[in-house]
Amino acid sequence: SLTSGFADDVFAFCSGPRVSCHAPLRPYFREAPQSQCMFFVAMAMLCEVDAPTAEHQSSDDPAVATAAEADLVLSLCSPDSRDTEACHTCSPTLKLWSRRFGTAGARRVLGLLGVDPEVAIAA
C-alpha cells in the first residue's frame, strides 16, 4: 500500500537525481549555494553528450531501454500570477531548462513539477 507521503509525490519511485530548492544537494557541494548546486546537476544531466536516443529508450532490449531510461526530476518554483520571477534559488535552473528543453539531453527528464511548460520555455 502507498503511504501518504509517497502518494503525494508522483515521482517518489524515481531513484534518479531530483533538482529542487527543497531537495538539498549540499552534502555533495559543501560550500556552494543551493542555486549553484541545482544548476550544476541540471547542466550535467541535460548535457547532449552521450544523451539517450529515442530509439534506445524504446528498444525491445530491456538492458538498452533501462540504460537509456529518463530519471531526472526537475521540481522548480516558477512565476505565477503573483510573482514576476521564479524564486532566486530555482531561477538559474529554470533558465537553463528553457534553453535545453528541445535538446537530446532533455530525454533524461522523467518529470517536470511546479512549472507551467509555456512559462518554462519563455524563462
Side-chain angles (χ1 to χ4, degrees):
S1 75
L2 298 175
T3 65
S4 63
F6 183 87
D8 293 341
D9 184 353
V10 296
F11 293 103
F13 64 89
C14 177
S15 61
R18 176 178 298 253
V19 174
S20 168
C21 59
H22 303 294
L25 298 167
R26 293 201 181 162
Y28 305 106
F29 307 97
R30 299 214 191 290
E31 299 298 322
Q34 179 70 6
S35 60
Q36 289 179 4
C37 299
M38 290 170 56
F39 186 87
F40 177 82
V41 171
M43 176 67 90
M45 291 297 295
L46 295 172
C47 179
E48 294 185 61
V49 176
D50 292 329
T53 63
E55 180 181 80
H56 286 145
Q57 287 181 325
S58 62
S59 175
D60 291 334
D61 181 339
V64 171
T66 299
E69 194 171 75
D71 61 355
L72 174 65
V73 174
L74 295 174
S75 179
L76 306 172
C77 301
S78 69
D80 62 19
S81 59
R82 295 167 296 185
D83 299 321
T84 58
E85 297 183 12
C87 83
H88 174 72
T89 305
C90 289
S91 184
T93 303
L94 182 62
K95 288 177 183 175
L96 173 66
W97 172 248
S98 74
R99 288 165 179 76
R100 296 283 175 102
F101 79 94
T103 67
R107 287 193 192 100
R108 292 188 177 104
V109 176
L110 174 65
L112 182 62
L113 301 173
V115 178
D116 177 357
E118 290 181 18
V119 171
I121 292 167

